[in-house]
């Protein structure tokens, strides 16, 4: 790995958590945990059947208690602690495995299972319990809490900060992503535009593999620790 790298942006997707036992967002059959994505991850689905949507994310939240971070999460947390320059881990995942591994320079661009969002005042609060429809916001008193998940058709979080980091990055790494969901799928092109080296770590080639200078194929639990060892020397 070149030695002239100061600033790193890392994008992680469902593939990094799959080895911990969490289902990837959209499986080969087009379903997420047995549901059509359109039935559990759109504003229309929430309006049409709030009980189903809330129950779906309650089940995903409860599942977190059954899984633990894997070596890929732990390696990125070690990089976060030791890297002397800027590093930003941008995750598309809504689980908390990066945090539990110890990462702190981290953004959840698609929201978090352990957070509730008030649809009335837009305040987000930590939330670990079931979240039935009509749960009351402690801030404004409205019975409007919903899962703090960025649904299809909604704007991902922290895009301005992510774009600023990509503009300053010397290295952009994508780990375990499909390369098919925008705007994250366009990060590699943005990073290349600003002059960053680009590297993909994935189990299989992604939809965006051709945009990367280098792709390494294999399990994240093997490839990510190898990369971190290289970076930290």
């Amino acid at each position: 790995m070149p030695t002239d790298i100061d600033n790193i942006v890392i994008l992680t997707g469902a593939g990094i958590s799959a080895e911990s036992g969490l289902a990837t967002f959209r499986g080969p059959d087009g379903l997420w945990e047995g549901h059509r994505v359109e039935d559990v991850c759109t504003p229309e689905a929430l309006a049409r059947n709030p009980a189903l949507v809330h129950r779906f994310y309650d089940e995903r939240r409860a599942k977190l208690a059954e899984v633990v971070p894997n070596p890929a999460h732990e390696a990125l947390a070690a990089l976060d602690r030791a890297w002397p320059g800027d590093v930003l881990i941008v995750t598309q995942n809504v689980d908390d495995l990066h945090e539990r591994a110890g990462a702190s320079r981290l953004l959840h661009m698609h929201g978090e299972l352990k957070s509730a969002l008030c649809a009335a005042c837009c305040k987000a609060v930590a939330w670990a319990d079931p979240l039935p429809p009509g749960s009351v916001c402690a801030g404004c008193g409205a019975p409007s809490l919903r899962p703090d998940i960025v649904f299809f058709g909604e704007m991902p979080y922290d895009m301005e900060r992510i774009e600023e980091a990509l503009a300053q990055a010397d290295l952009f790494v994508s780990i375990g992503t499909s390369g098919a969901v925008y705007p994250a799928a366009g990060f590699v092109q943005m990073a290349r535009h600003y002059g960053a080296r680009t590297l993909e770590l994935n189990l299989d080639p992604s939809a965006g593999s051709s945009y990367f200078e280098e792709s390494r194929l294999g399990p994240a639990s093997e490839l990510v620790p190898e990369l971190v060892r290289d970076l930290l020397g």
Side-chain angles (χ1 to χ4, degrees):
M1 186 62 61
T3 57
D4 58 342
I5 294 172
D6 292 316
N7 302 330
I8 304 173
V9 176
I10 298 167
L11 174 68
T12 67
I16 197 170
S17 294
E19 292 183 67
S20 290
L22 294 179
T24 54
F25 176 69
R26 194 193 296 263
D29 54 5
L31 303 178
W32 185 19
E33 295 280 11
H35 294 269
R36 291 195 320 145
V37 173
E38 295 78 8
D39 291 335
V40 293
C41 199
T42 65
E44 294 78 14
L46 180 63
R48 182 174 60 248
N49 194 341
L52 170 64
V53 173
H54 279 248
R55 184 171 65 250
F56 178 82
Y57 291 101
D58 283 349
E59 291 170 355
R60 307 285 77 71
R61 193 179 306 112
K63 176 71 174 178
L64 295 181
E66 303 173 13
V67 300
V68 296
N70 64 55
H73 296 104
E74 293 164 355
L76 290 182
L79 179 68
D80 180 20
R81 288 190 296 269
W83 189 253
D86 288 335
V87 61
L88 180 64
I89 301 168
V90 179
T91 187
Q92 297 172 276
N93 299 336
V94 294
D95 62 62
D96 63 344
L97 295 180
H98 281 303
E99 289 94 332
R100 285 160 58 189
S104 60
R105 290 186 275 185
L106 172 70
L107 294 178
H108 282 269
M109 65 178 294
H110 290 162
E112 302 178 61
L113 285 169
K114 288 192 170 180
S115 178
L117 177 70
C118 179
C121 71
C122 298
K123 179 180 175 62
V125 294
W127 199 276
D129 300 316
L131 180 68
S135 295
V136 174
C137 173
C140 72
S144 303
L145 290 183
R146 52 161 274 189
D148 189 7
I149 302 296
V150 176
F151 294 148
F152 281 102
E154 297 178 333
M155 180 62 68
Y157 293 145
D158 296 305
M159 285 301 299
E160 183 174 342
R161 184 176 170 194
I162 293 168
E163 291 173 9
E164 289 174 354
L166 288 169
Q168 300 298 320
D170 302 304
L171 174 66
F172 171 72
V173 185
S174 176
I175 303 169
T177 69
S178 67
V181 178
Y182 283 83
F187 289 173
V188 58
Q189 293 159 283
M190 188 180 302
R192 289 190 67 167
H193 171 76
Y194 286 113
R197 296 180 178 87
T198 55
L199 170 65
E200 176 184 49
L201 308 181
N202 223 354
L203 193 59
D204 300 296
S206 73
S209 287
S210 62
Y211 294 116
F212 288 87
E213 294 174 81
E214 182 184 356
S215 291
R216 303 177 187 175
L217 300 182
S221 59
E222 297 176 9
L223 296 181
V224 178
E226 289 174 3
L227 172 65
V228 170
R229 284 193 294 270
D230 287 346
L231 287 169
L232 294 180

